[in-house]
Amino acid sequence: MGLRGFEDRLERLVEGSLTMPFRGPMQPIEISHRMLREMDLGRRVGVRGLIAPNHFAVSVSRADLDRFEGFTDALVHELAESARQHAANEGYSFAGPVEVELFESKRLKAGRVDIVASFFEGDVRPSLVLPDGRALSISAAPLVIGRLPECAVVLDDTNISRRHAQVAMDDGAVVVSDLGSTNGTFVNGRRVTRATVRPGDEITVGTSRLRVEVR
């Protein structure tokens, strides 16, 4: 049922039959089937029950990678979704977010796939949730908050400076820094110049509230 659902969703995303964009010996359903098998083989008993691998390095030949061109993002998205659904069906939990990466292998022939399933316990991806509900991934590249159009987070708030504050990963932690704003930057109601923030913490700039979450 899960694999059939995977095919149906991917087919809708690429707006056509799977046999059209993916002609050749390697079919996406085969990759999904192998991934779920690796989840089952790699599961282990944790404190709260069965834990399954959450990171999948999928290697295919150059020829197969070329066949997926234009549909790679949709394929990776649906492979991750199939892993989450399989975990829900089997009662597995994950140590972190599910992530799928697609690589070219020079040693693999067309139609062959190699999958390495791993536990990435520390690979949690923090996000900055905006007032409108959108979430932006936080990385080492600063997310600048302000009124200027070139800011990563543009907020229409007269109480916010043109370049008000920024949020970025720094040595494994999420850090918010005020950029010399007029009205200040606050974390959980406390004015800060620079502070480490954790999931659930609220950042206030002007009258706008943003939140850090792990997704």
Side-chain angles (χ1 to χ4, degrees):
M1 183 66 179
L3 293 177
R4 180 63 255 177
F6 167 82
E7 280 191 309
D8 292 341
R9 290 193 309 274
L10 188 59
E11 182 174 340
R12 287 194 297 271
L13 280 174
V14 301
E15 298 179 347
S17 170
L18 285 176
T19 60
M20 295 301 292
F22 300 113
R23 282 200 183 107
M26 171 57 62
Q27 294 296 315
I29 191 68
E30 297 172 31
I31 300 176
S32 180
H33 181 77
R34 280 286 307 277
M35 266 187 50
L36 303 191
R37 181 170 178 270
E38 292 298 324
M39 284 180 67
D40 292 337
L41 292 175
R43 66 189 178 186
R44 66 189 188 194
V45 178
V47 177
R48 293 175 293 178
L50 292 174
I51 303 176
N54 62 303
H55 183 273
F56 303 91
V58 180
S59 298
V60 297
S61 69
R62 176 75 257 178
D64 286 323
L65 201 59
D66 287 343
R67 292 189 184 97
F68 300 150
E69 187 176 0
F71 306 100
T72 303
D73 289 345
L75 176 59
V76 167
H77 173 83
E78 288 306 323
L79 286 171
E81 183 60 27
S82 71
R84 285 189 284 266
Q85 290 196 2
H86 184 65
N89 292 339
E90 298 298 321
Y92 301 157
S93 60
F94 296 115
V98 176
E99 192 166 288
V100 178
E101 295 186 272
L102 200 58
F103 298 99
E104 173 193 353
S105 172
K106 298 185 183 301
R107 65 179 178 80
L108 290 178
K109 296 181 179 179
R112 303 293 297 274
V113 60
D114 184 47
I115 299 177
V116 177
S118 309
F119 294 87
F120 273 22
E121 297 183 15
D123 191 28
V124 290
R125 298 299 177 91
S127 297
L128 184 65
V129 181
L130 309 187
D132 62 6
R134 289 183 297 130
L136 301 179
S137 181
I138 301 172
S139 66
L143 293 173
V144 177
I145 305 165
R147 289 189 288 109
L148 290 177
E150 57 264 33
C151 291
V153 180
V154 180
L155 297 175
D156 185 16
D157 184 340
T158 56
N159 294 297
I160 293 176
S161 299
R162 290 179 297 174
R163 287 172 54 87
H164 193 106
Q166 69 179 33
V167 179
M169 293 293 297
D170 186 0
D171 197 22
V174 179
V175 175
V176 59
S177 303
D178 186 80
L179 299 178
S181 67
T182 301
N183 294 318
T185 299
F186 298 79
V187 174
N188 299 330
R190 181 174 62 89
R191 186 165 184 165
V192 300
T193 300
R194 176 183 169 89
T196 298
V197 288
R198 297 172 176 78
D201 284 348
E202 187 176 81
I203 301 170
T204 302
V205 291
T207 60
S208 301
R209 296 179 179 180
L210 305 92
R211 191 173 64 259
V212 175
E213 289 186 359
V214 173
R215 297 189 167 191

